[in-house]
Amino acid sequence: MVNDEKMREDGIWLYCSNSAVRRASRQLGQLYEDAMGDTGLKGTQFSLLSQIARSGEPTLKSLAEAMVMDLSALGHTLKLLIRDGLVELVPDAKDRRVKRVRLTETGIAKQKELTARWQIAQDRFDKAFGKEKSEEMRRTLAFISSQEFAEAFNGNKKD
């Protein structure tokens, strides 16, 4: 009974890694989106623009893998960015059935504008959380979002 009472006081996020990460993600998403101001884009859209910028012209499949998204969720998010003229889909030069994602000139400008605003939010995060802890957290989260972790997690199903 004490355990039930303690859980009600602390919340599920102290006992469930998934709940804790999702709760923190929602909080960070709100804080970063507030820092982005009235740009009209969500944090997910900024992350997507930034990943495209870093990747050059990724295929839809490689972009989905990098973002840890399924293709349908990626397509839904891209549809809005295409509509707003920030990205475009172009056929691959070697295999025209394969689609690549490219930032438009407007998309490049928007990504640069948002990067400056993101840097302010990132600096605030590092100051509030601590630069070293922040770097360690990102390394930890990068591992959790890796294929290696997913394989290790799923390998435990056999136990």
Side-chain angles (χ1 to χ4, degrees):
M1 201 63 170
V2 172
N3 202 14
D4 287 345
E5 185 176 313
K6 179 81 172 141
M7 187 178 247
R8 276 194 301 278
E9 289 174 15
D10 296 337
I12 190 70
W13 43 89
L14 292 182
Y15 300 93
C16 174
S17 299
N18 183 51
S19 295
V21 170
R22 286 179 179 271
R23 182 172 187 254
S25 178
R26 284 190 298 274
Q27 171 84 343
L28 276 178
Q30 292 168 5
L31 293 171
Y32 273 65
E33 284 180 16
D34 286 348
M36 294 289 185
D38 61 351
T39 61
L41 293 181
K42 300 281 187 195
T44 305
Q45 294 167 319
F46 168 69
S47 295
L48 194 51
L49 290 176
S50 296
Q51 184 61 41
I52 295 166
R54 294 177 69 88
S55 303
E57 291 184 9
T59 64
L60 286 170
K61 183 180 178 190
S62 66
L63 183 58
E65 288 171 359
M67 297 293 295
V68 190
M69 297 174 83
D70 61 46
L71 281 171
S72 64
L74 176 63
H76 177 73
T77 305
L78 281 175
K79 193 178 293 186
L80 300 172
L81 297 173
I82 292 167
R83 178 201 67 198
D84 294 341
L86 301 174
V87 301
E88 59 188 355
L89 295 179
V90 295
D92 182 81
K94 294 178 183 170
D95 183 349
R96 299 192 59 77
R97 295 171 296 175
V98 174
K99 298 293 182 210
R100 293 191 170 271
V101 185
R102 175 170 53 203
L103 293 179
T104 63
E105 287 186 32
T106 304
I108 292 167
K110 181 63 85 172
Q111 196 273 335
K112 286 181 182 179
E113 171 197 346
L114 291 174
T115 297
R117 293 179 186 219
W118 166 84
Q119 188 62 60
I120 293 167
Q122 189 66 29
D123 291 345
R124 288 179 188 167
F125 183 91
D126 287 347
K127 184 177 180 184
F129 193 66
K131 190 162 179 62
E132 291 80 21
K133 283 174 41 179
S134 179
E135 290 169 355
E136 178 62 27
M137 180 198 66
R138 287 191 299 272
R139 282 191 294 274
T140 299
L141 293 172
F143 174 67
I144 291 170
S145 63
S146 73
Q147 186 61 35
E148 178 185 359
F149 179 81
E151 290 170 2
F153 182 92
N154 288 327
N156 292 337
K157 286 182 181 178
K158 298 172 187 170
D159 295 344

